Amino acid sequence: MQIDRTISLLKQGKHITEDAVYALCLKSQELLMTEANVTHVDTPVTICGDIHGQLHDLLTLFDKSGGVEKTRYVFLGDFVDRGFYSLESFLLLICYKLKYPDRITLIRGNHETRQITKVYGFYDEIMRKYGNSNVWRYCCEVFDYLSLGAIINNNIFCVHGGLSPDVNTIEEIRAIDRKQEVPHEGAMCDLLWSDPDDVEKWSLSPRGAGFVFGQNEVNQFLHTNKVELIARAHQLVMEGYKEMFDGGLVTVWSAPNYCYRCGNVAAVLRIEDDLQRNYTIFDAVQPQDGVGNAIIPTKKSQMDYFL
């Protein structure tokens, strides 16, 4: 299959045949199954938060941060749902992963599941574009092989959601059987669903999955695992990023004007060789010629659990 031609089509939001998607998904599974639950990544590297199917903003992200030809990236999950180009966004990242396997690390988010994508747009998008659910099934099988986290220079732990009361060490994450639909509870679920907040101790998350954790839990995790930063996504941040707990945790959000209506800016975080943090802020693509915001939304109403 011609990966460069596929990348060109995807960047234009053009239709990819079902057979081509199947071949892509198969190849990416073969590659992803060789990666550990927690992938080792070297600096310099750029950390990216939720994308949520906003293809044109993803292209802006690459444009503003150096591009995959020259830059190493960690994407913290939630590639699909909400936006109207979930398929193209996810397939573009998969194509880049196949072409530059050492430059792109893809971590699973809570939206990379069968159950969530049935509700928040990805399944409907594929039914609209293909008239059947085959492509959705192919992509869901790839989701099952995505890593649960990454460790940068043995110093920065990357995860989609957050911590778990069932996980004390990064080694324990390596022992999880990740090749499955995300369970409703337990360590794997918590890593994808939990959120930080100013709380004294673990409490159940209002999202209905995962936990809320505070500075004590973060400090304990950093100390036990000899790391100095937890980088995560999962929560809308109007300013694009938010550091908490004396800089021990950062939330990075990379979907500007989320859901085409939230009005937020987006950010990516570049980690240099000396572990210095540099944030790049960018705005949403302005609607023009049928791209950006000028898209017909899915008709199915969507629950706003993120607000």
Side-chain angles (χ1 to χ4, degrees), residues 27 135 141 208 222 272 307:
K27 275 188 176 300
V135 164
E141 282 159 19
L222 296 176
E272 306 292 352
L307 290 173

Side-chain angles (χ1 to χ4, degrees), residues 54-272:
Q54 296 181 201
L55 174 67
H56 303 92
D57 298 316
L58 174 59
L59 297 178
T60 301
L61 181 158
F62 282 123
D63 187 49
K64 299 276 188 189
S65 59
V68 73
E69 297 81 9
K70 304 175 190 167
T71 310
R72 200 177 287 120
Y73 291 91
V74 172
F75 282 86
L76 299 176
D78 280 12
F79 316 111
V80 300
D81 284 339
R82 307 279 191 197
F84 305 127
Y85 292 93
S86 287
L87 179 65
E88 291 79 9
S89 301
F90 182 58
L91 293 183
L92 180 62
L93 290 171
I94 277 180
C95 284
Y96 281 151
K97 177 71 180 170
L98 289 169
K99 188 172 181 183
Y100 308 102
D102 59 334
R103 300 243 181 92
I104 290 253
T105 298
L106 301 176
I107 292 173
R108 191 173 191 174
N110 66 304
H111 278 262
E112 277 70 62
T113 66
R114 291 157 184 82
Q115 189 173 359
I116 295 295
T117 52
K118 275 281 190 85
V119 177
Y120 292 100
F122 185 45
Y123 178 85
D124 291 343
E125 175 187 321
I126 285 173
M127 290 299 292
R128 198 170 64 244
K129 289 174 177 175
Y130 290 88
N132 67 65
S133 62
N134 292 345
V135 164
W136 174 76
R137 285 192 296 104
Y138 304 152
C139 291
C140 288
E141 282 159 19
V142 178
F143 296 162
D144 291 344
Y145 286 90
L146 295 170
S147 293
L148 301 178
I151 186 95
I152 297 170
N153 277 21
N154 292 316
N155 219 291
I156 296 167
F157 175 62
C158 300
V159 67
H160 177 69
L163 303 181
S164 169
D166 293 343
V167 173
N168 295 312
T169 67
I170 291 170
E171 280 307 309
E172 289 167 7
I173 301 172
R174 297 186 203 281
I176 295 170
D177 175 14
R178 77 174 192 264
K179 297 178 183 68
Q180 58 172 315
E181 175 76 341
V182 178
H184 292 290
E185 58 186 13
M188 183 171 168
C189 169
D190 299 342
L191 293 168
L192 274 58
W193 279 94
S194 293
D195 294 301
D197 204 349
D198 293 318
V199 292
E200 292 293 320
K201 58 182 182 180
W202 295 106
S203 56
L204 288 173
S205 171
R207 295 180 188 262
F211 287 82
V212 176
F213 57 95
Q215 181 155 12
N216 290 339
E217 286 73 36
V218 167
N219 289 348
Q220 182 68 51
F221 186 88
L222 296 176
H223 176 75
T224 301
N225 292 281
K226 298 182 173 57
V227 294
E228 63 179 56
L229 175 66
I230 297 167
R232 45 89 67 179
H234 192 43
Q235 277 177 303
L236 170 64
V237 182
M238 294 303 289
E239 300 78 24
Y241 72 93
K242 181 182 181 182
E243 291 193 356
M244 296 175 71
F245 309 140
D246 303 319
L249 179 143
V250 64
T251 300
V252 182
W253 185 266
S254 302
N257 194 27
Y258 180 42
C259 294
Y260 312 110
R261 63 182 168 81
C262 285
N264 60 289
V265 297
V268 295
L269 166 57
R270 182 177 165 92
I271 305 290
E272 306 292 352

